[in-house]
Amino acid sequence: MSDTEEARNNDLRRPFIHTGSWYRMGSRQSSMMGSSQVIRDSSISVLACVLIVALGPIQFGFTCGYSSPTQAAITNDLGLTVSEYSVFGSLSNVGAMVGAIASGQIAEYIGRKGSLMIAAIPNIIGWLCISFAKDTSFLYMGRLLEGFGVGIISYTVPVYIAEIAPQNMRGGLGSVNQLSVTIGIMLAYLLGLFVPWRILAVLGTLPCIVLIPGLFFIPESPRWLAKMGMTDDFETSLQVLRGFETDITVEVNEIKRSVASSTKRSSTVRFVDLKRRRYYFPLMVGIGLLVLQQLGGINGVLFYSSTIFESAGVTSSNAATFGVGAIQVVATAISTWLVDKAGRRLLLTISSVGMTISLVIVAAAFYLKGFVSHDSDMYSMLSILSVVGVVAMVVSFSLGMGPIPWLIMSEILPVNIKGLAGSIATLANWFFSWLITMTANLLLAWSSGGTFTLYAVVCAFTVVFVTLWVPETKGKTLEELQALFR
């Protein structure tokens, strides 16, 4: 290869967004940077990065929650049928599948920050298309663009957080991803009670509008920089994240050894390479958890929650739905606090068992309601029981099966297959999310009790899957986890 060609290839591998020179000045104790004392604390530095990229998952959640409080207003204003609105709601999943296919490769070629920039732009355009829509064409196009951006965000953010976080904080910081999603959903529910749907769509642009400039003030993932061979940038990024007075020699050497080992094994990853145990086992665990997360029926249950609340006599189903969203945020926050203390496997097991029991309660309530009079006290009690079961299911999901599958996926995938394998895992998650969303109505029309029983069976299998195959990743570096699968 000529020097010119090599230089051109190196240019292609540079980060899409440079991290800037502000932290370089701080690392040299420059007097020009008055805030260097603040970011010397590694926890503050990493937390600041996480809070900025968490705007992406807030956008993710806002997209998911937008269609619930706006259904009546949009269908009335644009004259849509129920089926046309259902298509609008489901198109975000279709766009996310396309984004998921591209997410891994985009994040590998232009970096984690560049990938988030790519995701933010179609999200903003999508929200504006919805806000100014006069018919279904702009409405559908906007939803697809949103979904595309969300598909990239859902892969890139947990990977970035896992790659920058110290091992003792990785679980809690990684769970911020799902916490931010639930906050986005809750905000969409809350603002939807008071704000017209067009203005709500404009408000949906705000997370990404703030995210774009924020990306210029945080470092690129040091592990990605190391993989790309940018040694100086890699060490500077890691120094910023760990604090300017922290000795990073040991971590630098561990990352270099891991990258060198991965490079020796395979410079170009192909699908055939995924047959090796060091690759297929972590991929199987990652895909398995993300698929089971959806097959447990969380989207179907949340979709049907308004009808359950109505049957229980709740006068405002939208307000009740906001209540469920708020409960999700609280439960996910508890999981964020516990995950580095209790461990991933324990929380996944508790979550799966809790979901199984809750869904059995909901299924039993629906079965029994078919044998009692609608005017009886027993019918009212069973309706209330079904609401309690739904709330318990949401709480159980938020404690483990909501945040932890994304966290484990970002932790266990080897660095040299993370782009390809991460795209596959993210695509699988979004495909089954779309499948559950599209089939929930049909299954519930067939048999409400039967539907919740099916979801309960999947959750029971999840307990077995976690017990047999999911490794505990608490307290291990990403490099130690890669060595574990070799």
Side-chain angles (χ1 to χ4, degrees):
M1 180 183 291
S2 67
D3 291 342
T4 304
E5 290 175 342
E6 185 174 355
R8 187 183 302 116
N9 287 336
N10 286 335
D11 287 339
L12 290 174
R13 290 154 66 98
R14 304 296 292 180
F16 182 69
I17 302 177
H18 284 280
T19 48
S21 60
W22 64 271
Y23 61 76
R24 293 180 185 276
M25 293 189 294
S27 65
R28 293 194 297 264
Q29 304 296 302
S30 169
S31 60
M32 294 176 63
M33 183 172 176
S35 62
S36 63
Q37 284 294 121
V38 178
I39 44 179
R40 279 181 193 165
D41 186 327
S42 62
S43 62
I44 293 177
S45 180
V46 171
L47 183 59
C49 295
V50 171
L51 291 178
I52 290 173
V53 298
L55 291 165
I58 289 176
Q59 172 72 80
F60 177 172
F62 204 91
T63 299
C64 296
Y66 178 81
S67 59
S68 179
T70 58
Q71 180 170 353
I74 292 178
T75 51
N76 289 335
D77 289 354
L78 300 184
L80 304 184
T81 63
V82 174
S83 60
E84 286 175 330
Y85 193 82
S86 296
V87 171
F88 167 72
S90 65
L91 280 177
S92 63
N93 288 330
V94 177
M97 282 189 271
V98 178
I101 294 171
S103 61
Q105 296 306 308
I106 292 175
E108 288 303 302
Y109 281 106
I110 64 174
R112 314 321 189 200
K113 297 200 317 172
S115 180
L116 289 176
M117 176 71 80
I118 295 294
I121 294 171
N123 260 300
I124 293 172
I125 296 173
W127 282 118
L128 294 177
C129 286
I130 292 174
S131 180
F132 293 101
K134 300 296 183 182
D135 53 31
T136 57
S137 58
F138 264 65
L139 208 62
Y140 290 171
M141 181 174 66
R143 194 68 169 171
L144 280 170
L145 287 170
E146 283 177 23
F148 177 79
V150 162
I152 297 175
I153 287 169
S154 62
Y155 166 76
T156 307
V157 170
V159 167
Y160 177 79
I161 294 175
E163 290 180 346
I164 68 169
Q167 66 184 63
N168 63 319
M169 299 172 62
R170 196 175 61 240
L173 293 177
S175 298
V176 169
N177 175 63
Q178 182 66 21
L179 176 63
S180 301
V181 173
T182 60
I183 290 173
I185 293 172
M186 184 187 69
L187 288 174
Y189 289 163
L190 176 62
L191 294 173
L193 294 173
F194 309 105
V195 176
W197 65 272
R198 293 186 187 275
I199 296 178
L200 188 63
V202 173
L203 293 176
T205 64
L206 293 180
C208 284
I209 287 176
V210 178
L211 173 64
I212 290 174
L215 291 172
F216 289 93
F217 292 92
I218 62 175
E220 180 57 89
S221 160
R223 286 176 170 84
W224 181 81
L225 291 170
K227 182 186 175 184
M228 295 294 105
M230 290 174 268
T231 305
D232 291 341
D233 289 335
F234 145 57
E235 293 185 10
T236 305
S237 174
L238 190 63
Q239 189 73 71
V240 172
L241 292 167
R242 299 296 177 260
F244 293 131
E245 294 181 344
T246 302
D247 185 359
I248 60 171
T249 305
V250 173
E251 191 171 1
V252 165
N253 290 334
E254 285 181 354
I255 294 173
K256 284 182 177 179
R257 280 196 300 268
S258 177
V259 169
S261 177
S262 298
T263 303
K264 287 178 183 177
R265 286 197 305 271
S266 178
S267 58
T268 304
V269 180
R270 301 163 298 172
F271 276 98
V272 69
D273 295 324
L274 301 182
K275 294 180 181 179
R276 302 177 186 177
R277 186 186 186 280
R278 67 169 66 103
Y279 298 144
Y280 81 72
F281 187 80
L283 182 57
M284 181 269 291
V285 172
I287 290 179
L289 284 175
L290 288 173
V291 169
L292 290 170
Q293 179 194 64
Q294 296 300 327
L295 289 180
I298 184 63
N299 284 336
V301 169
L302 290 176
F303 177 83
Y304 199 57
S305 62
S306 60
T307 305
I308 296 173
F309 295 142
E310 288 175 6
S311 68
V314 177
T315 54
S316 176
S317 59
N318 282 340
T321 302
F322 165 70
V324 171
I327 290 170
Q328 266 192 298
V329 172
V330 173
T332 307
I334 293 172
S335 174
T336 300
W337 175 65
L338 285 175
V339 69
D340 277 322
K341 296 178 175 63
R344 282 60 152 167
R345 278 167 54 90
L346 178 60
L347 286 181
L348 282 173
T349 302
I350 293 173
S351 175
S352 303
V353 170
M355 290 174 68
T356 303
I357 295 172
S358 303
L359 287 166
V360 168
I361 290 173
V362 177
F366 273 103
Y367 273 126
L368 294 174
K369 281 169 72 174
F371 298 99
V372 298
S373 170
H374 286 209
D375 299 327
S376 66
D377 292 338
M378 179 59 72
Y379 189 89
S380 298
M381 290 176 61
L382 291 172
S383 296
I384 294 172
L385 185 63
S386 64
V387 171
V388 172
V390 167
V391 172
M393 189 266 191
V394 171
V395 170
S396 298
F397 174 84
S398 301
L399 285 175
M401 283 304 293
I404 295 179
W406 290 107
L407 171 62
I408 289 182
M409 181 274 291
S410 65
E411 291 178 322
I412 66 175
L413 293 180
V415 64
N416 59 320
I417 69 161
K418 188 166 280 187
L420 175 61
S423 291
I424 295 171
T426 307
L427 174 62
N429 180 268
W430 279 108
F431 173 76
F432 282 98
S433 172
W434 170 80
L435 188 66
I436 291 296
T437 303
M438 290 298 293
T439 59
N441 273 335
L442 297 174
L443 288 172
L444 291 166
W446 160 67
S447 170
S448 296
T451 301
F452 289 114
T453 300
L454 288 174
Y455 293 157
V457 169
V458 173
C459 291
F461 175 76
T462 303
V463 178
V464 178
F465 183 86
V466 171
T467 303
L468 294 180
W469 291 299
V470 177
E472 179 55 72
T473 61
K474 183 186 76 169
K476 296 181 177 68
T477 66
L478 298 184
E479 288 68 41
E480 288 172 340
L481 291 172
Q482 290 185 36
L484 179 67
F485 294 116
R486 291 176 202 152

